[in-house]
Amino acid sequence: MSFAPVEEQLATIRRGASQIVTEAELVAKLQHSHRTGKPLRVKYGIDPTAVDVHLGHTVPLRKLKQLQDLGHLAVIVIGNYTALVGDPSGRDQTRPRLTAEQVERNAENYLSQLAKVIDLNRAEVVRNGDWFSRMRFLDILELTSKLTVIRVLERDDFAKRIKEQKPIYLHECLYPLMQGWDSVQVRADVELGASEQLYNLLCGRDLQRDAGQEPQVAVTLPILVGTDGARRMGKSLGNYIGVGEPAEKMFGKLMSIPDEKEQADGRRLNVIRQYFELLTDVPAEEVNALLAPDKNPKDAKVRLAKEIVGQYHWPELAEAMALEFDRVHARHQLPSHIVVQIVLRTDLGWPAEQTEGIVWLPKLLKAAGLAWSHSDARRLIQQKAVSVGIYRGEQTELTLVTDPDATVEVREGQGPLLKVGKRQIVNIKVPEPKRA
């Protein structure tokens, strides 16, 4: 098999990488691979601890795909056993324990989402339960003899917990050994992981040496910030973009990211640049031109959103989303398609035969699912977030409502149209009563 020149491969691997340990070893491996035609075995382990794969997960996955496209073998380790322990990397407290059943359900969904990034037909997919489930207690004792307690406690996340007098449980100390043993089992040449996982990746190098294997090269990648621009992307933080989300939702979330944000350590991060670098293949020169001081950051975000939506849906849909976003947010027109929201008579307090009437606006907002409660609806109105109108296509006019005691007329087949905030627009419909 023929490979691209080593320098070209190295440039691809370097883009967006935090650390390469060591680059000299990586060069030697690439040269040997180029000379012999034997692809490198590039490992990436993922623990199915949740159901959704988000863009933060795709940072190392995209690097894996790049190496796959360079001709190397992607080795995906589904951590159905490591997920039972929970990676302590970057954590200031113990992860919640999952059951084997929960992990298995999550694992089934993961591969379909990974297929949006990786060509699974050209990958080797294994589960680390295949070897850990066969280990005897003596085997576990032998494995734990490879790592000292002092070495475990040196890691930053554990040192921080000790300082803050937070507990460290013994099972957490096994995690780096388990991840490292995965590398021995799959004979990894390279392992990819987040920057906070460097300790685990280096543990794999030590275990491979002990097993008589050539140690893997550790390639770490930055942690993607979420849509708030400040904290790591995560579902629990509500700042994530799932790879399986609808195109419209994905496009809107990408357009909402801040241009730049101060981080917890005081540095300022250009969020748009990080997303371009870690989530797209747009050349650095083009990114620099898009983010030049004389350019509008909004144009860069539109390009970014089109690139990412195009990856997980298709380019034509991404273009359509860009036009729709411009229509609604730049030209302040209504969306091309208005959602029809069914509201039941019982939610309005109407008798069975009533089809029209005057309704207190907060009651209608709650009945339509646009507010959690009447008090929440009143708050939205007072914050000037609610507009009302009758849908007439391009001739539709919306009126801002500021009085929380306002009422609206609900007519059979005629709405009204409710707009809450910038994105929630629905046309209200009360179903006709059933006729005998």
Side-chain angles (χ1 to χ4, degrees), residues 176-191:
L177 280 170
M178 294 175 74
Q179 183 171 333
W181 193 244
D182 290 346
S183 295
V184 174
Q185 291 295 310
V186 301
R187 305 188 72 88
D189 294 306
V190 177
E191 181 172 9

Side-chain angles (χ1 to χ4, degrees), residues 48-64:
T49 53
V51 176
D52 292 333
V53 174
H54 57 63
L55 293 185
H57 295 129
T58 70
V59 174
L61 286 170
R62 280 180 45 78
K63 186 62 64 181
L64 185 61

Side-chain angles (χ1 to χ4, degrees), residues 273-430:
R273 184 179 294 278
Q274 190 197 52
Y275 274 50
F276 264 117
E277 190 171 76
L278 300 180
L279 302 176
T280 80
D281 295 322
V282 177
E285 318 83 73
E286 285 188 50
V287 175
N288 291 335
L290 285 164
L291 297 176
D294 60 333
K295 296 295 176 64
N296 187 341
K298 179 197 160 192
D299 296 333
K301 278 198 272 194
V302 170
R303 172 70 184 279
L304 174 69
K306 288 199 292 187
E307 289 285 335
I308 295 174
V309 172
Q311 287 178 46
Y312 298 105
H313 295 279
W314 55 89
E316 295 80 6
L317 185 55
E319 288 289 345
M321 291 299 99
L323 292 173
E324 185 72 0
F325 193 89
D326 180 71
R327 170 191 176 91
V328 174
H329 297 279
R331 291 185 279 153
H332 305 292
Q333 297 177 357
L334 291 176
S336 303
H337 303 285
I338 303 292
V339 173
V340 174
Q341 180 64 51
I342 301 297
V343 173
L344 302 178
R345 290 172 185 74
T346 52
D347 292 331
L348 299 177
W350 286 1
E353 296 300 315
Q354 186 172 343
T355 57
E356 299 183 344
I358 303 298
V359 180
W360 182 41
L361 183 55
K363 176 180 278 192
L364 185 59
L365 290 169
K366 181 178 181 295
L370 299 172
W372 294 107
S373 63
H374 292 160
S375 59
D376 181 41
R378 291 175 66 91
R379 179 185 57 79
L380 289 169
I381 294 169
Q382 289 169 335
Q383 290 178 346
K384 300 182 179 180
V386 179
S387 298
V388 178
I390 299 296
Y391 183 63
R392 295 190 176 93
E394 293 186 0
Q395 282 70 50
T396 301
E397 293 185 5
L398 292 171
T399 302
L400 180 68
V401 180
T402 57
D403 180 5
D405 292 321
T407 58
V408 291
E409 186 176 7
V410 176
R411 296 182 181 177
E412 186 175 353
Q414 262 199 322
L417 190 74
L418 300 181
K419 180 181 180 185
V420 178
K422 293 181 178 179
R423 294 186 176 87
Q424 294 189 89
I425 303 175
V426 299
N427 200 19
I428 301 299
K429 179 176 177 61
V430 176

Side-chain angles (χ1 to χ4, degrees), residues 18-19 87-91 95 155-157 179 193-201 220-223 232:
S18 296
Q19 284 183 279
D87 186 2
S89 299
R91 304 283 295 193
R95 287 179 181 270
R155 54 186 301 163
D156 292 341
D157 30 44
Q179 183 171 333
S195 55
E196 65 186 16
Q197 284 197 327
L198 181 60
Y199 179 94
N200 298 346
L201 274 59
T220 64
L221 297 128
I223 295 168
R232 65 185 298 154

Side-chain angles (χ1 to χ4, degrees), residues 8 38 51 99 119 172 186 194 225 268 296 325 352 360 404 414:
E8 185 179 319
K38 183 180 179 182
V51 176
T99 66
D119 183 352
E172 296 180 274
V186 301
V225 296
R268 292 197 69 80
N296 187 341
F325 193 89
W360 182 41
Q414 262 199 322

